[in-house]
Amino acid sequence: MMSSGNDSNVTLWVKSELFSYGALPIAPHPRLTFNNIKKIVIYAKNKGESCFPKISYSVWRHIACNKLLLTEDLAWMYFHTCHLFSEDLSPVERMEWDQEMSNCSTKQERDQLKSRVKVNTLKFVLYLYVQQIHKVSLKASLVAGDEWPTTRSSSPDLDGTGRSTPRGNKTLDDHSHLVYIQSNMHEILELLVDPESYNRNNPSESLVSIQALSAISFLIAGSIDKCKSLLPIQDIAVLQTVQHRTGYSKLTKSFTLRPLQLWIKDCLVQNMFGISACIASGRRLSWAGAGEEKDVKSETKKRGKIATNAHVVPKEHIKGNKIIIMSQVSKQTIGRSSNTLENSSVKIHRCHYSYLYLLSPLRSVTIEKCRSTTIVLGPVETTIYLSHCEKVTLIAPCRNIMISGSTLCSLYTLTPNRPVILGGNDTLLLAPYHTFYPSIEDHMNKVGIGNSKNLWDQPLCVGPDHKDEGPVWELLPVSEFFTFNIPFEVEGTTTSIPGGLPNKYQKAVTQRQKQIDSWQKTVKDAGLNKQQRKEFQELVESRFHVWLAETNYKRELDSLVVPPPSTTT
């Protein structure tokens, strides 16, 4: 047991990853209340080893569908999302699971496979409780002076000049995460109390075991040396210099709820590796960009802001903590594949009329308030969240993707899970992943995304504003489908689209290639002399340049003077 450390040096903060990518940014199911979530703990404890300390999906499905009246799709989405962020599976294990699932030919086989999945019971109830952060409260809105209900929420400006509203975008707002945990710490700890030790007469005197407290490491990180290293909260709470404040008893190996609650709240600060900290003290990245319209000097003087906290994150705690922020990139092309980018959580904010190629394995990606921009990503280990965007083209392999409040966006994805379409969307085009770069399969292996299963065309619509007769999404028509070429040289062995294309899209590509071959043969067989070939070539090039200008592709081509992606920073 650890015995050193000064109480005054203890720092705790709320992890952002679970809130940003685990909490659905919609009002939670009305039955997903504190009292019902607490009953899950009691139920699991009474069921014994099959439910505690880990609960299986089959038990959760019974609770969710029969007791809470959730749909089976929503129940599974909650469960597998929690599993993704709480269970440390290797990339190989995740790919093997996807392969097994793709081999299932019936719903019964899929259900049997899902029933084998288990998550830590206490972490799961905390995950369910976190969904409450997006609960709409008329009372809270009136006190805060906000209009209610609102259709679009604001978020903190990533350039540091704006401020977050009380009901801002809680997926990016570290302050909202902190306030939520501080305001609800008593209920959070109460969920961890062993039902047998719960003190009904005085709940604050109930006991929380070390094992139960360890579940909070799912939500809260800590350090005793100014973030040079990170420690689990239960290890900090039993330090000799801290025990008198945490209410720890060596005899019972547990904590008294009230002093533990006060100690946690007293030590909580804003996320040391969050958006706000990165804005305040992050290192600026001078990633090469080009393609600005040189005749618009007032716009080109103000370059986009790109920053990272990679230099301060402990190497063994990169996942979920290393952040790269790209804000207000306008009329530029940026191509990057680097060590700094690898395994980072990327926040792309207010980027307009740009082409962004981030060709490294990534942890997670948020794309918010972007417009008329093409974003090509390396494989994303956890989740892409597209929020309040317009005319964005996204091309990426990813484990999960969520879309909220976005219009006229095209999504070319390779994903083993159903895309989650939330509220406020309109005119979304879904299409299969249609590109590659030479190192992509190596990158996919690093994050555990295979090509055996792609559910790009089976979205799950969550929320009250979805109607079967007027869906907000459609599949990209075959006639409008073209493959995409990444215009950079990257080392690697991949020479084709991972997993290939669905049959109907592949047929369209093959037919189009036949037309090109036929046209080239016609030109070759036309018997043109040297002068005629020259005139014909000039005519084709002239028409081509007119087409480039009319479609605005000329600026995209002109911007490709940027250097090939770096492999160092």
Side-chain angles (χ1 to χ4, degrees):
M1 181 179 296
M2 301 180 62
S3 58
S4 61
N6 191 313
D7 186 24
S8 62
N9 292 332
V10 173
T11 306
L12 304 176
W13 61 91
V14 181
K15 295 180 177 181
S16 63
E17 189 170 62
L18 189 65
F19 287 94
S20 298
Y21 302 106
L24 291 186
I26 57 171
H29 190 280
R31 296 223 176 182
L32 215 55
T33 62
F34 168 74
N35 287 332
N36 285 338
I37 294 172
K38 189 175 180 180
K39 288 177 183 176
I40 295 174
V41 181
I42 299 172
Y43 180 85
K45 280 275 191 176
N46 289 335
K47 292 282 284 186
E49 292 183 2
S50 63
C51 293
F52 203 90
K54 289 196 170 187
I55 186 171
S56 68
Y57 173 65
S58 56
V59 173
W60 160 242
R61 182 177 58 189
H62 170 73
I63 296 171
C65 299
N66 298 332
K67 307 293 184 183
L68 303 179
L69 304 183
L70 273 64
T71 65
E72 192 169 329
D73 287 330
L74 187 59
W76 171 245
M77 188 189 64
Y78 279 143
F79 199 80
H80 86 71
T81 302
C82 180
H83 186 272
L84 176 62
F85 288 107
S86 65
E87 301 294 322
D88 191 22
L89 265 65
S90 69
V92 172
E93 288 174 311
R94 294 206 183 276
M95 292 172 71
E96 288 175 348
W97 156 262
D98 293 337
Q99 182 67 59
E100 283 189 75
M101 184 60 79
S102 68
N103 291 339
C104 295
S105 56
T106 65
K107 182 180 183 301
Q108 184 180 12
E109 289 178 350
R110 288 190 291 271
D111 287 345
Q112 287 177 349
L113 189 58
K114 289 178 180 179
S115 295
R116 287 166 30 194
V117 182
K118 293 185 176 182
V119 299
N120 180 286
T121 307
L122 294 180
K123 287 183 179 181
F124 184 57
V125 298
L126 292 179
Y127 167 79
L128 294 176
Y129 187 80
V130 161
Q131 305 304 318
Q132 297 293 318
I133 193 172
H134 294 289
K135 185 176 181 180
V136 177
S137 168
L138 177 57
K139 180 180 178 181
S141 298
L142 291 174
V143 170
D146 295 342
E147 294 182 10
W148 184 91
T150 57
T151 56
R152 288 176 180 253
S153 57
S154 59
S155 68
D157 285 336
L158 298 188
D159 60 3
T161 58
R163 72 177 182 87
S164 169
T165 63
R167 286 192 51 75
N169 186 339
K170 297 182 179 67
T171 61
L172 282 179
D173 191 350
D174 302 326
H175 181 67
S176 288
H177 306 165
L178 174 62
V179 170
Y180 179 77
I181 292 295
Q182 286 178 326
S183 302
N184 297 282
M185 182 51 66
H186 182 80
E187 287 191 348
I188 289 171
L189 290 176
E190 206 171 300
L191 288 173
L192 304 181
V193 171
D194 189 318
E196 295 176 0
S197 66
Y198 183 71
N199 190 328
R200 294 183 179 278
N201 296 324
N202 191 353
S204 294
E205 295 300 317
S206 301
L207 300 180
V208 178
S209 68
I210 292 179
Q211 292 76 14
L213 183 62
S214 67
I216 283 197
S217 62
F218 192 34
L219 302 179
I220 296 175
S223 177
I224 59 173
D225 58 5
K226 299 181 179 179
C227 298
K228 294 176 184 176
S229 62
L230 307 187
L231 287 174
I233 186 173
Q234 69 274 16
D235 289 357
I236 298 176
V238 297
L239 293 173
Q240 293 286 354
T241 54
V242 176
Q243 290 179 10
H244 67 287
R245 294 193 57 196
T246 61
Y248 179 66
S249 166
K250 291 183 180 179
L251 187 64
T252 62
K253 295 192 183 316
S254 59
F255 305 87
T256 304
L257 191 148
R258 179 167 176 75
L260 179 63
Q261 174 187 339
L262 293 174
W263 173 74
I264 294 175
K265 292 180 71 172
D266 189 47
C267 294
L268 277 175
V269 298
Q270 198 142 306
N271 191 345
M272 306 297 284
F273 303 114
I275 294 288
S276 302
C278 189
I279 292 171
S281 57
R283 177 182 293 168
R284 287 290 293 267
L285 296 173
S286 55
W287 285 357
E292 296 94 337
E293 295 180 8
K294 295 179 175 56
D295 58 330
V296 191
K297 294 182 179 179
S298 60
E299 290 188 10
T300 58
K301 283 182 180 177
K302 186 177 180 182
R303 296 180 61 83
K305 300 174 178 64
I306 306 175
T308 184
N309 65 358
H311 58 295
V312 297
V313 180
K315 289 183 178 180
E316 63 274 20
H317 296 286
I318 291 294
K319 289 188 176 182
N321 290 319
K322 183 168 75 168
I323 291 175
I324 290 178
I325 298 173
M326 304 180 69
S327 183
Q328 301 180 55
V329 175
S330 181
K331 298 179 180 178
Q332 289 181 260
T333 291
I334 292 177
R336 211 69 185 174
S337 180
S338 67
N339 294 331
T340 300
L341 189 58
E342 189 166 333
N343 291 323
S344 63
S345 295
V346 181
K347 317 293 180 181
I348 304 173
H349 178 259
R350 291 192 186 278
C351 294
H352 303 145
Y353 302 100
S354 294
Y355 303 90
L356 309 179
Y357 298 83
L358 307 181
L359 307 181
S360 290
L362 307 171
R363 173 66 177 178
S364 57
V365 179
T366 295
I367 304 166
E368 188 187 39
K369 296 183 179 177
C370 294
R371 183 161 40 92
S372 302
T373 291
T374 296
I375 301 171
V376 185
L377 303 174
V380 180
E381 182 179 8
T382 59
T383 302
I384 298 173
Y385 177 40
L386 187 77
S387 170
H388 299 104
C389 291
E390 181 180 348
K391 296 182 180 177
V392 165
T393 296
L394 172 67
I395 304 169
C398 58
R399 182 148 293 277
N400 294 320
I401 180 169
M402 298 189 297
I403 309 101
S404 174
S406 296
T407 304
L408 297 169
C409 292
S410 300
L411 313 174
Y412 296 81
T413 56
L414 192 168
T415 174
N417 293 308
R418 300 173 67 182
V420 178
I421 298 178
L422 301 165
N425 297 295
D426 189 23
T427 318
L428 301 178
L429 277 180
L430 306 183
Y433 187 69
H434 65 330
T435 191
F436 70 94
Y437 56 93
S439 54
I440 187 169
E441 287 181 309
D442 178 52
H443 290 174
M444 289 171 66
N445 290 335
K446 285 184 178 180
V447 301
I449 296 177
N451 57 35
S452 61
K453 183 183 175 202
N454 189 3
L455 302 184
W456 65 274
D457 57 347
Q458 301 176 41
L460 173 61
C461 297
V462 180
D465 61 344
H466 293 287
K467 298 177 182 177
D468 292 338
E469 64 272 17
V472 299
W473 64 275
E474 64 176 311
L475 301 184
L476 180 71
V478 173
S479 60
E480 298 177 21
F481 180 80
F482 295 85
T483 55
F484 185 90
N485 291 317
I486 293 176
F488 299 110
E489 291 184 1
V490 182
E491 292 184 358
T493 57
T494 301
T495 58
S496 61
I497 298 168
L501 294 171
N503 286 336
K504 63 179 181 179
Y505 292 100
Q506 182 58 58
K507 286 180 180 177
V509 171
T510 302
Q511 182 61 35
R512 205 171 284 128
Q513 186 59 50
K514 287 181 179 178
Q515 293 174 344
I516 294 172
D517 294 341
S518 175
W519 165 250
Q520 290 175 338
K521 186 176 185 302
T522 300
V523 172
K524 184 178 180 181
D525 296 343
L528 303 178
N529 60 36
K530 187 175 182 180
Q531 181 61 28
Q532 288 174 325
R533 286 199 302 270
K534 182 181 178 182
E535 291 176 358
F536 180 72
Q537 184 176 348
E538 289 175 351
L539 176 63
V540 171
E541 288 181 357
S542 174
R543 294 289 180 88
F544 179 61
H545 284 290
V546 170
W547 176 80
L548 285 177
E550 289 176 347
T551 58
N552 206 33
Y553 287 137
K554 184 176 186 302
R555 181 171 59 80
E556 181 179 359
L557 287 177
D558 290 344
S559 71
L560 294 177
V561 297
V562 297
S566 166
T567 57
T568 56
T569 60

